[in-house]
Amino acid sequence: MPTIRLFALALGIGEPDDGHILGEAFSYAGAETASNQSTAGTAGTIGQRNVDGFATRWRFAMPFDVPEIPGTVTAVEFGITIQTDSSTLRDFEALLVAPAGFVWPIAADGNRQANFAAIKAAGAAPLGVAFDTGAAGFGGGVLRTVEIDPGVLPESPGILTLGIVSARDAADDEPSDGNEFVTIRTGNQALEVNRPYLDITYTEPEPEPPAADDESEIMMVLED
């Protein structure tokens, strides 16, 4: 069956462009409502941190430009490559989500806080686990993949927004003093092999049988 591979977009300022949003404050709850824009370069951050009472929470979002699929979608695989694992405090699962109402570009101040909250809210019904820092062999350079429901794809060609949030962050599980975050490679990576991707597998429709021409139809009548 044919497969279409899509990469997370990195189109530049003013366009859909993958990146992380962070919230930080001198309280864990305060970081939830004090988001700051931090557009990703070649790496983006997911997770949380607490240093002497100063809390930071990172969430990631990425757009995929989904074309018209010439058949019936049978499978969708998401893949992402880890850059660094800085989770020295506790292991955590990172949830792959489809945030409702996300507004691009990610850099727009007017959209930032609502987008930040939308990624977290979507953690209540994740598409799957993007990665688990406690998994065997987890670390920089490792590719992680997860099969997701094809129903997440838009019904017509357009932008599909996916996000990643720490399961601990989504559950308001405050860390003690230390690091609990990971960086991932983004759509800004020079090599496509390093970028987040979606593989969409589909079945092609059966070709319609050729219509009989008038002459062959007349000959069949005469033979009868």
Side-chain angles (χ1 to χ4, degrees):
M1 288 184 288
T3 297
I4 297 173
R5 173 162 288 192
L6 307 176
F7 295 101
L9 298 178
L11 302 181
I13 300 300
E15 299 286 348
D17 191 3
D18 65 344
H20 66 240
I21 305 173
L22 65 88
E24 55 187 0
F26 278 102
S27 73
Y28 187 71
E32 177 61 32
T33 57
S35 66
N36 293 295
Q37 168 58 32
S38 181
T39 301
T42 56
T45 307
I46 299 151
Q48 44 189 6
R49 175 176 65 189
N50 195 329
V51 179
D52 296 329
F54 189 79
T56 308
R57 304 165 80 160
W58 290 273
R59 299 162 194 166
F60 192 82
M62 66 209 101
F64 293 89
D65 192 2
V66 181
E68 183 175 357
I69 308 300
T72 301
V73 177
T74 59
V76 178
E77 178 185 271
F78 171 78
I80 201 162
T81 301
I82 306 304
Q83 180 78 359
T84 58
D85 178 11
S86 299
S87 186
T88 56
L89 183 61
R90 301 180 295 182
D91 286 320
F92 67 94
E93 289 184 343
L95 306 178
L96 181 66
V97 300
F102 199 96
V103 180
W104 294 98
I106 196 172
D109 290 345
N111 306 329
R112 186 180 61 221
Q113 186 59 44
N115 286 344
F116 189 62
I119 300 171
K120 178 188 177 186
L127 302 173
V129 175
F131 59 82
D132 181 348
T133 64
F138 185 84
V142 172
L143 172 68
R144 290 298 182 192
T145 63
V146 58
E147 296 287 332
I148 61 176
D149 184 355
V152 74
L153 298 179
E155 293 182 1
S156 57
I159 297 296
L160 168 66
T161 299
L162 296 180
I164 305 179
V165 59
S166 161
R168 295 190 185 277
D169 178 15
D172 291 321
D173 184 357
E174 182 176 359
S176 58
D177 204 50
N179 294 332
E180 195 178 284
F181 64 88
V182 165
T183 58
I184 59 171
R185 295 176 185 172
T186 74
N188 290 283
Q189 288 277 332
L191 298 177
E192 287 186 340
V193 69
N194 287 325
R195 300 173 189 169
Y197 71 83
L198 282 181
D199 275 351
I200 302 174
T201 302
Y202 62 95
T203 56
E204 296 178 299
E206 293 291 333
E208 295 183 5
D213 57 39
D214 292 342
E215 183 178 347
S216 63
E217 291 177 351
I218 293 172
M219 290 299 295
M220 290 175 65
V221 171
L222 293 175
E223 288 175 357
D224 290 344

